[in-house]
Amino acid sequence: RGSRVSGCGSASFYSCGPRVCIVGSGPAGFYTAQHLIKVCPVLLVFLSKGSRSYLQTSFQSFATTMKSFYICGFFFICPPSQARQDVEVDIYERLPVPFGLVRFGVAPDHPEVKNVINTFTQTANHSRCSFYGNVNVGKDVSVEELQRAYHAVVLSYGAEGNRRLGVPGEDLAGVYSARDFVGWYNGLPSCRELSPDLSCETAVILGQGNVALDVARVLLSPINMLKKTDVTQPALEALAESQVRRVLIVGRRGPIQVACTIKELREMVNLPGTRPEMVAADFEGVTEALKDVPRPRKRLTELMLKTALEIPGEKEQQRRSMASRTWGFRFFRNPVEVLADPGSNRTAGVRLAVNRLEGSGEGGRAVLTGEVEDVSCGLVINSIGYKSLPIDPSVPFDSRRAVVPNNMGRVQQATGLYCSGWLKTGPTGVIATTMNNSFDTARSVVEDMDSGTLDVSAAKSGSQTISALLEERGVKPVTFSDWEKINHAEMRKGEAVGKPREKLLTVEEMLQVARA
Ligand code: FAD
């Protein structure tokens, strides 16, 4: 691709299809692209075997299934908002490697979550999709330049910033953002030098979401478990030497308000070599309050109650008595200061304000009691959330909410500009949530093309102009087949040591392999 010259009209040197540019190749970028190019109608085939009917929606498995089933009916569905077969999509990504937080966020011991990469790869290999890695939008090329070259620009560059605690001492040595800590063990090039000091016994994680539990699990997992994952070699070596034996996971509110999900909690409860260390008093009144909460929350809280209060069976007791590492939630606490070791700039603990809960259920509010409590620790990880950052002054940005203000993905007061993913919604939700909101944005783009709100009548130059600009500026993009070279090199390196992959850790190394 790159020279989509066609004879579709005298004024048009370029191909006639609408050209859409996507900024960022995380789940939001790929799901938006997938929905924009997935325009071929879906074939629904009703199959019959004996008295049962089955619904088959994919062409791929159709042929094999045909051998044992009878077709009893079929029809095509083609929703009106997807009825275009001409949209061409270019994805621009800052790093030489795609997939955003699926590569750099998702925990190394959750390889099944990373299977979405297979779908993203199919999208990237579609004839109407191209990938340009190693292009930092806002720096190498401006959003206005992209808007001139494309009919529509979708910003999907995620939430790369970190919410600060806003308390004294948060810049002391030994305090890390979860973003950096996760980036370090997952091989994010900018976090390579983090080298967190793991020589202390107690670590405090501030925040009780799934990211906090991922970090706690990685800190406490037996090294033999981590060795089989794609955790980076330097992180593996540091974790093997780690002295951390106790991890406290601190939250402002109570057990009914934690932000983690049951899968992550169950993994903590069953983590080999560890035992839970909870405070029974935190669970007063929780059983009674449970009857009014939704079912998933109820199941999560019941697991917590069981872990905290029930006397375990013999086998579990034995397991716990042999454990050398502990973890626990600390509820109704929020940090007011990170305490320094006297005479050094290292952290020695955290001062926590003690809260009480006002109201009940998921909406209960933390209210200060005026009491404080000090917890000694040598490692503090701030896991209170990510936040999006502005990348280009021409793009409207709501600094208070740290999102691009939008209506169903249409950036307010900016025709032709859209957003999806965490940049659109704020940094909440899982990949499936991101998928849905990205599909919504793609639907808005296609609706605007169909209704004429977005003028796609004149041909646009797309990547031809942008590639020329990048060349002038000395920026060499990485194509998807270049990425596949990196991918193979990483898998080969991993195979040699029994890991699914050994990630390349610097942009320079990645570019070297891509260009070999
Ligand atoms: P991102 O995934 O962050 O993608 C943004 C992309 O934009 C990145 O590739 C970035 O390099 C690129 N970019 C940034 N700036 C620029 C620029 N200027 N120019 C060009 N490109 C740019 N969800 C699950 O379902 N399961 C899990 O197990 C899970 N684990 C998680 C663990 C962590 C630590 C975190 C933080 C999140 C996790 N999530 C998980 C949530 C999931 O990762 C998000 O829902 C999803 O990644 C959001 O997608 P996104 O595309 O908006 O952002």
Side-chain angles (χ1 to χ4, degrees):
R1 287 231 347 238
S3 55
R4 296 188 198 115
V5 184
S6 74
C8 55
S10 54
S12 154
F13 176 70
Y14 309 105
S15 77
C16 339
R19 292 192 149 176
V20 179
C21 150
I22 292 176
V23 179
S25 71
F30 270 108
Y31 281 126
T32 308
Q34 177 184 326
H35 210 69
L36 284 170
I37 58 177
K38 195 195 79 183
V39 286
C40 73
V42 179
L43 173 65
L44 287 181
V45 184
F46 289 94
L47 301 164
S48 164
K49 187 178 192 184
S51 58
R52 293 170 69 188
S53 285
Y54 297 80
L55 189 62
Q56 182 75 24
T57 55
S58 112
F59 285 102
Q60 248 173 13
S61 48
F62 181 57
T64 40
T65 323
M66 280 282 288
K67 287 180 191 147
S68 49
F69 290 82
Y70 304 101
I71 297 179
C72 60
F74 65 89
F75 62 91
F76 288 97
I77 52 164
C78 188
S81 68
Q82 293 180 31
R84 302 196 68 107
Q85 305 226 15
D86 53 354
V87 180
E88 295 187 356
V89 176
D90 292 334
I91 302 176
Y92 290 89
E93 163 61 48
R94 184 170 55 83
L95 290 164
V97 294
F99 313 135
L101 285 169
V102 177
R103 177 179 165 105
F104 294 118
V106 170
D109 58 345
H110 286 172
E112 71 290 348
V113 177
K114 301 184 193 207
N115 286 342
V116 290
I117 286 177
N118 299 334
T119 313
F120 299 163
T121 300
Q122 276 180 15
T123 300
N125 285 324
H126 191 285
S127 58
R128 281 184 284 112
C129 183
S130 294
F131 173 81
Y132 298 91
N134 195 36
V135 179
N136 191 346
V137 173
K139 194 162 159 261
D140 298 332
V141 60
S142 72
V143 172
E144 278 174 341
E145 285 165 336
L146 292 174
Q147 284 191 277
R148 279 197 289 275
Y150 290 88
H151 294 104
V153 174
V154 184
L155 302 169
S156 311
Y157 63 81
E160 300 219 308
N162 189 58
R163 273 183 61 203
R164 285 182 57 86
L165 296 169
V167 301
E170 77 172 306
D171 295 318
L172 287 171
V175 184
Y176 306 94
S177 70
R179 178 193 175 273
D180 288 351
F181 194 78
V182 168
W184 168 69
Y185 64 64
N186 273 331
L188 185 64
S190 59
C191 301
R192 195 173 71 102
E193 311 278 346
L194 195 75
S195 307
D197 183 349
L198 306 178
S199 63
C200 60
E201 197 176 304
T202 301
V204 167
I205 302 177
L206 301 167
Q208 295 180 325
N210 282 338
V211 175
L213 266 63
D214 283 352
V215 170
R217 207 173 58 252
V218 167
L219 277 171
L220 294 178
S221 284
I223 206 71
N224 284 340
M225 277 171 70
L226 293 177
K227 266 185 183 160
K228 296 178 198 138
T229 71
D230 66 2
V231 75
T232 65
Q233 194 56 30
L236 204 53
E237 283 162 21
L239 288 162
E241 297 295 311
S242 166
Q243 298 302 307
V244 176
R245 295 284 172 270
R246 181 171 177 245
V247 175
L248 299 177
I249 308 161
V250 175
R252 279 180 307 129
R253 302 187 292 163
I256 296 187
Q257 291 82 28
V258 285
C260 64
T261 48
I262 193 161
K263 172 178 178 267
E264 280 70 18
L265 177 61
R266 200 175 288 124
E267 284 173 328
M268 281 314 297
V269 172
N270 296 328
L271 192 64
T274 71
R275 67 185 147 79
E277 182 205 290
M278 305 280 208
V279 178
D282 286 348
F283 292 85
E284 266 169 33
V286 169
T287 309
E288 298 72 46
L290 263 190
K291 53 184 186 318
D292 300 325
V293 303
R295 199 174 137 68
R297 164 79 57 194
K298 192 171 170 190
R299 287 180 52 230
L300 170 71
T301 318
E302 280 168 353
L303 177 59
M304 243 182 295
L305 278 165
K306 183 170 179 249
T307 310
L309 304 181
E310 266 185 28
I311 297 171
E314 201 180 320
K315 210 170 143 204
E316 176 63 7
Q317 267 186 37
Q318 204 180 13
R319 190 187 80 85
R320 288 189 189 179
S321 69
M322 311 230 309
S324 59
R325 298 176 171 196
T326 65
W327 65 275
F329 286 120
R330 283 295 171 276
F331 293 110
F332 309 112
R333 303 284 186 275
N334 59 279
V336 285
E337 185 175 354
V338 182
L339 306 166
D341 197 16
S344 84
N345 75 337
R346 278 209 55 78
T347 177
V350 225
R351 178 156 297 158
L352 301 171
V354 180
N355 301 328
R356 63 180 172 77
L357 202 67
E358 212 172 70
S360 61
E362 293 179 356
R365 254 177 12 99
V367 179
L368 293 172
T369 61
E371 269 176 69
V372 293
E373 174 187 282
D374 290 351
V375 177
S376 299
C377 64
L379 176 65
V380 177
I381 294 177
N382 162 14
S383 184
I384 62 165
Y386 287 52
K387 72 171 189 186
S388 295
L389 303 168
I391 57 161
D392 190 302
S394 74
V395 177
F397 193 80
D398 178 342
S399 312
R400 199 181 54 81
R401 292 177 54 229
V403 295
V404 166
N406 70 91
N407 183 5
M408 285 297 279
R410 296 173 177 97
V411 177
Q412 282 167 18
Q413 287 151 9
T415 309
L417 197 58
Y418 300 81
C419 60
S420 65
W422 276 11
L423 180 65
K424 170 187 178 183
T425 60
T428 57
V430 290
I431 295 170
T433 339
T434 300
M435 177 184 79
N436 287 327
N437 91 52
S438 305
F439 285 175
D440 286 344
T441 294
R443 233 172 262 130
S444 296
V445 175
V446 176
E447 264 169 32
D448 291 354
M449 286 175 184
D450 289 345
S451 69
T453 314
L454 188 63
D455 183 6
V456 293
S457 59
K460 291 258 190 173
S461 60
S463 64
Q464 287 197 347
T465 302
I466 302 302
S467 297
L469 278 178
L470 292 173
E471 200 174 330
E472 260 172 51
R473 294 168 190 172
V475 179
K476 290 200 177 73
V478 165
T479 65
F480 204 75
S481 51
D482 291 339
W483 146 248
E484 281 175 337
K485 285 195 224 163
I486 299 174
N487 187 29
H488 289 137
E490 290 186 340
M491 292 204 303
R492 263 199 318 273
K493 258 181 107 178
E495 210 176 317
V497 289
K499 293 166 77 175
R501 77 172 58 237
E502 189 64 61
K503 287 178 187 165
L504 301 184
L505 298 180
T506 64
V507 167
E508 293 71 32
E509 267 182 293
M510 293 171 183
L511 293 178
Q512 212 173 17
V513 172
R515 281 163 197 158

